Amino acid sequence: MAPASQDLPVPPFFDASTVGQVWRVPYQARAAYAQEWAATHNIPPAAQDGARIGLLLVDVQNTFCLPDFELFAAGRSGQGAIEDNVRLCEFIYRNLPQISHIIPTMDTHTAVQIFHPVFWMDNRGQHPAPHTVLQPADLASGTWQVNPAVSDCFPDWDRSELQQYARHYLEQLNRDNKHPLTVWPYHALVGSISHALVSAVEEAVYFHSLARGTQAQYELKGQNPLTEHYSVLRPEVLQDHHGNPIAQENRTLIEQLLAWDAVIIAGQAKSHCVAWTVEDLLREIQRRDPNLARKFYLLEDCTSPVVVPDAVDFSDYADAEFERFARAGMHVVSASDPLQAWPEFPLAPAG
């Protein structure tokens, strides 16, 4: 039988003071330790779990989680994502026997994308500053236009077509009641250090895989240069200005999450990629069966909103979204509480 939830200690190699740093995980040493840890604490393989519990980690990457990187989710405390990830790592270690499967999602970009500065220019040839918000009226007035230099990145379209698409894109965001396009700093560039998982979280996910005999499932998102992709389940815009598909929902992942006995969700940022992933899940749940919402648990103390001093503060928006998710039947919970205290949580012994 698996140990009761949170009976496990945190392994002695975990050092909370290093969660805000980048370092190399000692894979071979941790693999050996994980096998010893599983034997010492009677941790069974995940394949024997009587209830399938998934942990969805949204974009727990350096670019969002470390202060020296591009889009640190500081929250109002100023240390939000670091504090979140200390709690998240401890949560994973203490609940190893109950977590069947971990899915880390990874925001994945290149330099030339519709939300990066180089895609746009004004009539002086200047690119917009990070955190500039673009509206359809900005294109109509000529305040901003597609940078003609990026046309070569889209060989199927000339500059005129790209300009038409850009207008369509901004208008579509308004029609779908989504946030207007924000020009973000260059971030999560594939192959970069900013793209990588936070080292301490990578170590915890790896340790879970070895201790439980299961494979972490990495889900990449955001590669399409012509649309934002906050939610891991679908990009913001699915069709171009001619009605042709440019992207699609991740139906495989949607079905996987809905099939599990419970899904725990944490990550960054609470106001954007976490909130919009949960929103897409909720839309699918309400279409099928509203009672499915009760299978989802939001780790509120393992996620922080985007807050940029003197620029933007999405804290109130994020809190309001979580309150709405709770009214729909999802559970807003704390990583510090034992799983036995979570409402309706399907704790079950190993089969």
Side-chain angles (χ1 to χ4, degrees):
M1 177 180 292
S5 172
Q6 295 209 338
D7 279 353
L8 289 187
V10 174
F13 60 75
F14 175 70
D15 182 353
S17 69
T18 68
V19 172
Q21 301 171 15
V22 177
W23 39 270
R24 184 185 68 82
V25 175
Y27 297 120
Q28 196 60 39
R30 291 294 175 265
Y33 203 103
Q35 292 175 352
E36 295 174 6
W37 195 255
T40 299
H41 295 283
N42 192 30
I43 301 172
Q48 297 179 15
D49 287 355
R52 302 297 293 172
I53 310 300
L55 175 61
L56 181 66
L57 302 182
V58 178
D59 300 358
V60 189
Q61 298 164 262
N62 291 330
T63 194
F64 302 116
C65 296
L66 302 188
D68 291 337
F69 284 77
E70 300 83 10
L71 283 170
F72 177 53
R76 286 178 175 166
S77 76
Q79 293 291 306
I82 294 176
E83 297 164 344
D84 297 336
N85 286 335
V86 171
R87 290 184 285 264
L88 176 60
C89 290
E90 293 176 345
F91 176 82
I92 292 171
Y93 290 128
R94 292 190 183 280
N95 294 288
L96 279 173
Q98 302 295 339
I99 300 170
S100 308
H101 197 58
I102 300 180
I103 299 181
T105 76
M106 301 191 72
D107 215 27
T108 305
H109 303 317
T110 53
V112 180
Q113 300 207 223
I114 198 167
F115 46 80
H116 279 159
V118 72
F119 194 91
W120 304 95
M121 63 181 294
D122 61 17
N123 56 16
R124 297 171 299 163
Q126 300 296 308
H127 303 306
H131 307 293
T132 299
V133 175
L134 273 63
Q135 297 281 5
D138 296 322
L139 269 68
S141 67
T143 302
W144 297 109
Q145 59 183 326
V146 176
N147 177 5
V150 305
S151 298
D152 285 348
C153 299
F154 306 94
D156 293 335
W157 287 351
D158 59 22
R159 184 190 176 193
S160 174
E161 281 283 298
L162 277 177
Q163 189 73 10
Q164 291 179 52
Y165 173 78
R167 186 178 302 110
H168 157 80
Y169 184 85
L170 298 183
E171 292 172 349
Q172 189 66 49
L173 292 178
N174 281 357
R175 284 193 293 269
D176 292 343
N177 198 31
K178 294 184 178 288
H179 284 312
L181 174 67
T182 297
V183 177
W184 296 110
Y186 299 100
H187 67 286
L189 299 181
V190 64
S192 71
I193 296 174
S194 75
H195 180 254
L197 286 183
V198 169
S199 298
V201 175
E202 179 199 356
E203 183 176 51
V205 172
Y206 175 77
F207 192 80
H208 173 271
S209 295
L210 273 295
R212 302 231 55 207
T214 186
Q215 186 75 278
Q217 177 182 329
Y218 291 88
E219 292 282 339
L220 274 59
K221 68 179 180 69
Q223 303 98 311
N224 190 318
L226 291 173
T227 178
E228 298 153 287
H229 202 151
Y230 294 106
S231 166
V232 68
L233 301 178
R234 59 165 288 165
E236 299 309 293
V237 172
L238 299 176
Q239 295 180 330
D240 66 17
H241 51 300
H242 298 301
N244 299 317
I246 62 167
Q248 60 186 3
E249 292 181 318
N250 190 337
R251 297 302 308 178
T252 300
L253 183 55
I254 291 171
E255 297 300 332
Q256 182 179 15
L257 296 174
L258 293 178
W260 282 341
D261 295 293
V263 178
I264 305 163
I265 301 176
Q268 304 303 336
K270 181 180 180 182
S271 53
H272 288 72
C273 297
V274 172
W276 294 358
T277 295
V278 177
E279 168 63 25
D280 283 343
L281 274 171
L282 184 58
R283 184 183 302 110
E284 184 71 17
I285 285 167
Q286 291 176 332
R287 186 180 68 81
R288 296 190 189 194
D289 177 1
N291 289 321
L292 291 172
R294 306 175 78 86
K295 298 201 300 183
F296 290 86
Y297 295 78
L298 311 182
L299 281 181
E300 190 169 34
D301 55 351
C302 294
T303 184
S304 291
V306 171
V307 177
V308 180
D310 302 320
V312 294
D313 184 341
F314 286 95
S315 301
D316 292 340
Y317 166 80
D319 290 343
E321 287 296 277
F322 268 50
E323 290 172 5
R324 182 168 64 86
F325 299 148
R327 291 195 300 270
M330 294 180 172
H331 306 283
V332 178
V333 293
S334 170
S336 62
D337 292 334
L339 299 186
Q340 295 96 324
W342 288 9
E344 304 179 86
F345 195 78
L347 288 173

